[in-house]
Amino acid sequence: MPKSRFSTPLLSLLTLFLLCSAVTAQDLLPESNPEFQFDYNMPKPIEFKSLQEAAQWADVVAVAQVVNIDYQQTRELNAQGQAFLTVRVPYKGVNKNDLLIVSAKGFEEYQCYYPDRENEGQRYLVFLKESPNNDNEYHGFKPFCQLQILLDDAGRYQLRYPTDTDIEFDSELIQEITYQDPHALVDATEWTSISREKHMEQFNSELITEEDLFQKYYFLKYTQGIPLSDIRPLLKVQRKADIHSDQM
């Protein structure tokens, strides 16, 4: 059953969020509490061969959306800090609308730093390990802490394909997608033509150009995905029904 216990400092932090205003979880913009001792024992990356392997390793598997980030930087590079995400689709270890606090530290490329919130906030399929010290604090590593989820033109969740992993997916699962998600469009105006071509080759992205009187603009749009309904069976996890006090 997903955990609902909180350590005392974190409980105070979450209570403060809720008392600030009567808003839903996705409206919260929490900041890390300087008095709370976050855990920075980061896991080493693992090259999972399947989503099932990743799900077996993880304490939490979910589609989660970025609410806010709070990172310390050194020379404009993220050095350590927290990202705050809201669970949209729970698969393992959490419930819908739960708040996930994902800590990261270090300069390695695999460290799980999330981009700043833009528009509604990016959505990801996340595989996370619970911190040994604190409930609701988690750790992960790229790419498995943030596999990009995008909305198609019908408002359905799609796992962006190709993914950033080396996992091979059945070709029958891969679909041509018309994305309406703003995060499906990458601004490549400042890129070199070689970099744009490399992206198109790696991600099967489509080049879109626009121009005005002053400049020509280049964008790369993702064109393929795997429906989330086809991802669930690959995880091979079973959701356990929540047990409420009136059922005990």
Side-chain angles (χ1 to χ4, degrees), residues 121-139:
Q122 292 208 51
R123 301 171 182 87
Y124 298 99
L125 175 62
V126 302
F127 298 84
L128 302 171
K129 205 75 171 175
E130 186 178 54
S131 163
N133 293 337
N134 310 300
D135 290 333
N136 279 67
E137 182 185 11
Y138 300 92
H139 299 141

Side-chain angles (χ1 to χ4, degrees), residues 204-227:
N204 297 322
S205 53
E206 173 188 9
L207 181 64
I208 299 173
T209 60
E210 298 178 3
E211 57 183 303
D212 54 27
L213 295 176
F214 305 101
Q215 187 175 356
K216 191 171 186 177
Y217 303 91
Y218 297 89
F219 300 92
L220 294 167
K221 188 173 184 179
Y222 297 115
T223 61
Q224 294 183 318
I226 301 176

